[in-house]
Amino acid sequence: MIKIGILGGAGYTAGELIRLLINHPEAEIVFINSESNAGNRITDVHEGLYGDTDLVFTSEMPFDQVDVTFFCFGHGKSEAFIREHQLPENMRIIDLAQDFRLASPQHDYVYGLPELNHEQIATARHIANPGCFATCIQLGLLPAAKMGLIKADVAVNAITGSTGAGQKPGPTTHFSWRDNNLSIYKPFSHQHVPEIKQSLLQAQGFLDAEIDFIPYRGNFSRGIFATEVVRTEATIDHIIDGYKQFYAHAAFTHYVDKPLDLKQVVNTNKALIHCEKYGDKLLITSCIDNLLKGAVGQAVQNMNIMFGIDEKAGLRLKPSAF
């Protein structure tokens, strides 16, 4: 069994992570740390887990008892935590924040996108789990990059559910504001753009193009639906063949021959991709569940790869039938 610790256990991502791990055939949760909830039952916060677990939050962090620890902190807190604590050298880390997603000689974190870095993940000690928007957009664009098609600026629009903003209430996450509403935020300046460009450069070998990304807040709870427009003279048959080859061995990412809708992926670890051609414009559609393939589902997938077990273990989740 893989012995697991969780830091930052009270948020949306941690709740989903706990849900996956308590049903994982090879996983055992040793501790779930939350300073503000220490001593309380997990179900006092994550009420959807009633009847599934009797675990309690703890202020303790017995790292010597675990094989891997998931960092479910907010952005910027992981790097500070590592500086301030002595961690066992043999303990593996999967960080869900953005602190280590960009490659640097200052750290050894592998960017945890299995469709791009499967071999590196398998031997890594430390994983930087990708961002949710970044995962969805990259999976839409990486096969095009692999074919060398990204030679001009790419127009990207993507809409995310309210859980993408985290559990702490705010003016743009309050139900009465979000319901029957739509808005943009951080146009052309979203924090996930650098990691997207990093991966496209890795896949294509060159990148002289911008990612013109407009993020939208959606009036639904979970999921990301994205469109990416690439200008290319390549034929649609050539493009589709390239996409199918790129994802031929991917555990959860699939090319689909017909237009997509968000319900196909919500509550699953799947990513679905579809392409259409309009003149010299290639329209790519991609969609994921932001909490699963966009966060903890991918994190568990990375754990499975790191420990050499079935990549789909604990992740055989099905979407709603309607």
Side-chain angles (χ1 to χ4, degrees):
M1 298 292 279
I2 303 168
K3 308 287 188 180
I4 295 165
I6 298 173
L7 300 179
Y12 282 143
T13 55
E16 281 290 273
L17 178 62
I18 296 164
R19 179 174 72 91
L20 295 179
L21 292 176
I22 61 178
N23 292 291
H24 193 295
E26 302 285 343
E28 178 186 340
I29 300 175
V30 174
F31 72 88
I32 304 171
N33 175 270
S34 172
E35 297 291 336
S36 60
N37 288 282
N40 296 331
R41 290 183 179 274
I42 300 302
T43 50
D44 291 342
V45 174
H46 304 302
E47 297 181 354
L49 297 177
Y50 277 119
D52 294 327
T53 180
D54 293 322
L55 289 167
V56 298
F57 292 108
T58 178
S59 60
E60 302 300 316
M61 296 177 288
F63 294 122
D64 60 330
Q65 299 178 26
V66 302
D67 302 307
V68 59
T69 297
F70 290 85
F71 285 28
C72 298
F73 296 133
H75 299 311
K77 294 184 179 179
S78 297
E79 188 173 10
F81 181 90
I82 290 169
R83 283 199 309 268
E84 296 165 3
H85 293 81
Q86 188 71 32
L87 304 178
E89 286 192 12
N90 63 343
M91 184 187 76
R92 302 185 192 187
I93 295 172
I94 300 176
D95 181 27
L96 282 97
Q98 68 181 29
D99 300 34
F100 302 106
R101 290 173 183 164
L102 298 183
S104 167
Q106 304 303 314
H107 67 76
D108 66 348
Y109 281 71
V110 171
Y111 188 68
L113 191 69
E115 294 80 0
L116 182 65
N117 292 325
H118 197 283
E119 291 184 7
Q120 298 94 312
I121 293 166
T123 59
R125 289 179 56 246
H126 301 143
I127 295 291
N129 214 60
C132 53
F133 268 134
T135 296
C136 189
I137 294 165
Q138 286 174 96
L139 293 176
L141 291 174
L142 280 171
K146 187 68 174 179
M147 288 183 277
L149 302 183
I150 300 180
K151 300 176 182 178
D153 294 355
V154 179
V156 178
N157 291 274
I159 182 168
T160 185
S162 59
T163 51
Q167 193 165 9
K168 186 177 180 180
T172 61
T173 59
H174 194 283
F175 176 79
S176 61
W177 185 89
R178 199 100 176 199
D179 188 46
N180 295 318
N181 201 5
L182 194 66
S183 63
I184 66 169
Y185 71 109
K186 297 182 181 178
F188 306 110
S189 60
H190 195 276
Q191 66 270 16
H192 289 181
V193 170
E195 62 184 283
I196 296 169
K197 295 177 72 174
Q198 175 180 259
S199 294
L200 295 179
L201 176 60
Q202 178 183 337
Q204 187 166 263
F206 64 92
L207 186 66
D208 186 20
E210 292 299 320
I211 305 300
D212 294 333
F213 174 34
I214 309 295
Y216 291 77
R217 303 180 184 95
N219 65 340
F220 50 92
S221 296
R222 56 195 299 162
I224 293 177
F225 193 91
T227 59
E228 302 93 19
V229 179
V230 175
R231 288 190 176 272
T232 177
E233 297 297 333
T235 67
I236 189 62
D237 289 341
H238 172 71
I239 291 166
I240 291 174
D241 284 346
Y243 270 72
K244 289 183 176 180
Q245 289 178 27
F246 192 91
Y247 292 125
H249 302 293
F252 293 102
T253 301
H254 309 283
Y255 182 84
V256 178
D257 286 318
K258 60 182 182 180
L260 308 175
D261 61 78
L262 193 58
K263 279 191 175 182
Q264 293 170 303
V265 297
V266 170
N267 294 318
T268 80
N269 198 52
K270 295 177 185 177
L272 300 183
I273 317 294
H274 175 71
C275 294
E276 299 175 10
K277 194 83 188 296
Y278 298 89
D280 67 344
K281 292 185 283 292
L282 169 64
L283 173 62
I284 306 157
T285 309
S286 53
C287 58
I288 63 170
D289 184 305
N290 59 296
L291 291 177
L292 291 170
K293 185 58 175 169
V296 298
Q298 185 151 252
V300 171
Q301 183 182 357
N302 283 322
M303 180 192 77
N304 292 343
I305 297 168
M306 293 171 81
F307 287 90
I309 63 175
D310 178 6
E311 189 171 344
K312 294 185 176 181
L315 293 169
R316 291 178 172 85
L317 310 168
K318 303 298 182 185
S320 172
F322 53 87

